[in-house]
Amino acid sequence: MTVTSSPTSDLINLPSWLRAPIGKASEISRVQKIVKQRKIHTICEEGRCPNRGECYSQGTATFLLMGDVCTRNCGFCQVEKGKAPMILDENEPQKVAEAVNLLGLKYVVLTSVARDDLADGGAFWFVRVMEAIRKMNPDTLIEVLTPDFGTGKNALQQQWESVKTIVKANPACYNHNLETVARLQNPVRKGGKYHRSLRVLEIVKEINPNIPTKSGLMLGLGETLAEIIATLEDLRKIKCDRITLGQYLRPSLAHLPVQKYWTPDEFEELGKIASSLGFSHVRSAPLVRSSYHAHES
């Protein structure tokens, strides 16, 4: 990857369209209090999402399951990395369900750190949390945003079984992010593989074609327009229904530098291209993130 900007210029030359307010302080404070009291995590907070105040006010939040230490070391992500992930908290499903209830959430997204240390990658844990939420909040819809479940012995079979475990729990949407184009997978997603990730979404449709599938791309890591379009086409070949496109923002100087800030007009044009390819739900704008306006789809 050719670096075209310095860490300092990344911070100083942030385009005006990315200098957006963080959201309603009251909503952020309320969610933070409830989450911290229960010692659970949201990717909204761990990832410092710029849209979290807006999402909270609309009754949507994304919970980060199985701790806040990831077994992978992706170059874009600011979630803590380590080879010794947290021991699973047996009370986490109930705690998340209680938080959903207290916050009055209508739509919940469940994601997790990568847990390559667990035999099934943590698929069973997603289901346990889904069951707890539904028991206390029967009208709340649940979207899942899962890892690729594709490592270890018998990786292909294990991936199938893990994805099937979650599909059988009937989420409102099954999301797995490619994050970037095929050429950039290795520097951006250490431990991830392009076709392994496509396979996750393909398996969902093979098991239950009625469950909507979704993926997301971060732009600004050095990808070309042609590569973005090719990636969108690959997703449509496996019948992926929904797509999010947003600008990569460097979390710290230790992370990958931004190669390009795509303009709002460019995002709008990419959104039109995605719609023309047949995606049923498209969100394409600089500050769009994976769960942005998820409840609307």
Side-chain angles (χ1 to χ4, degrees):
M1 179 185 293
T2 302
V3 177
T4 58
S5 62
S6 69
T8 302
S9 66
D10 282 348
L11 301 176
I12 294 175
N13 299 324
L14 194 67
S16 59
W17 60 81
L18 291 171
R19 296 171 187 168
I22 206 69
K24 296 181 180 179
S26 59
E27 292 292 345
I28 293 175
S29 177
R30 185 171 71 100
V31 175
Q32 287 174 335
K33 181 178 180 180
I34 290 172
V35 166
K36 288 179 179 179
Q37 285 177 340
R38 283 158 183 78
K39 297 182 179 179
I40 54 180
H41 307 277
T42 67
I43 195 61
C44 319
E45 297 300 326
E46 299 294 333
R48 305 297 291 173
C49 178
N51 306 309
R52 61 192 188 280
E54 178 184 353
C55 291
Y56 294 163
S57 67
Q58 294 176 345
T60 303
T62 301
F63 290 91
L64 182 67
L65 306 182
M66 295 180 271
D68 61 351
V69 178
C70 188
T71 56
R72 298 191 186 176
N73 190 27
C74 295
F76 67 90
C77 182
Q78 68 182 44
V79 173
E80 185 177 349
K81 287 87 173 173
K83 294 183 178 179
M86 295 173 64
I87 296 173
L88 294 178
D89 177 3
E90 287 295 325
N91 296 316
E92 184 179 51
Q94 182 64 23
K95 290 177 180 178
V96 172
E98 289 174 358
V100 170
N101 185 264
L102 287 170
L103 293 169
L105 301 181
K106 303 170 186 176
Y107 196 97
V108 172
V109 182
L110 299 179
T111 190
S112 76
V113 292
R115 291 298 301 255
D116 295 329
D117 58 308
L118 301 175
D120 72 344
F124 81 101
W125 199 254
F126 273 89
V127 175
R128 282 191 58 180
V129 177
M130 292 171 73
E131 291 172 347
I133 291 172
R134 286 169 173 163
K135 184 175 181 180
M136 188 175 289
N137 312 273
D139 296 326
T140 298
L141 296 177
I142 305 172
E143 176 177 319
V144 295
L145 169 54
T146 77
D148 58 40
F149 301 125
T151 61
K153 295 180 179 179
N154 304 314
L156 293 178
Q157 182 62 32
Q158 184 56 64
Q159 184 185 49
W160 171 275
E161 295 296 336
S162 294
V163 174
K164 182 176 74 172
T165 294
I166 298 176
V167 170
K168 292 298 183 182
N170 200 34
C173 179
Y174 197 118
N175 186 358
H176 176 71
N177 289 331
L178 286 179
E179 306 292 8
T180 190
V181 300
R183 177 176 58 85
L184 298 175
Q185 289 287 310
N186 187 55
V188 174
R189 300 177 66 218
K190 295 177 182 177
K193 293 185 182 297
Y194 186 76
H195 290 289
R196 181 199 294 161
S197 285
L198 285 174
R199 182 60 182 149
V200 171
L201 300 172
E202 187 176 39
I203 291 171
V204 175
K205 288 298 188 182
E206 290 174 357
I207 297 172
N208 186 346
N210 295 318
I211 292 180
T213 52
K214 177 180 174 183
S215 193
L217 298 177
M218 301 175 295
L219 306 187
L221 289 158
E223 68 290 325
T224 66
L225 175 60
E227 287 176 319
I228 296 170
I229 295 173
T231 303
L232 295 176
E233 290 172 341
D234 285 343
L235 285 166
R236 286 300 298 141
K237 286 175 185 176
I238 58 168
K239 301 179 182 178
C240 182
D241 302 292
R242 304 171 184 175
I243 187 69
T244 58
L245 302 169
Q247 173 69 48
Y248 167 65
L249 297 176
R250 193 180 196 183
S252 78
L253 300 183
H255 292 81
L256 292 170
V258 176
Q259 301 295 313
K260 173 184 175 178
Y261 291 109
W262 292 72
T263 68
D265 287 345
E266 288 174 315
F267 272 103
E268 183 177 356
E269 184 59 32
L270 284 168
K272 291 178 182 178
I273 292 171
S275 294
S276 72
L277 290 173
F279 287 97
S280 62
H281 182 80
V282 178
R283 284 282 178 257
S284 181
L287 290 177
V288 162
R289 296 297 180 261
S290 185
S291 302
Y292 187 59
H293 285 201
H295 64 288
E296 294 180 355
S297 54

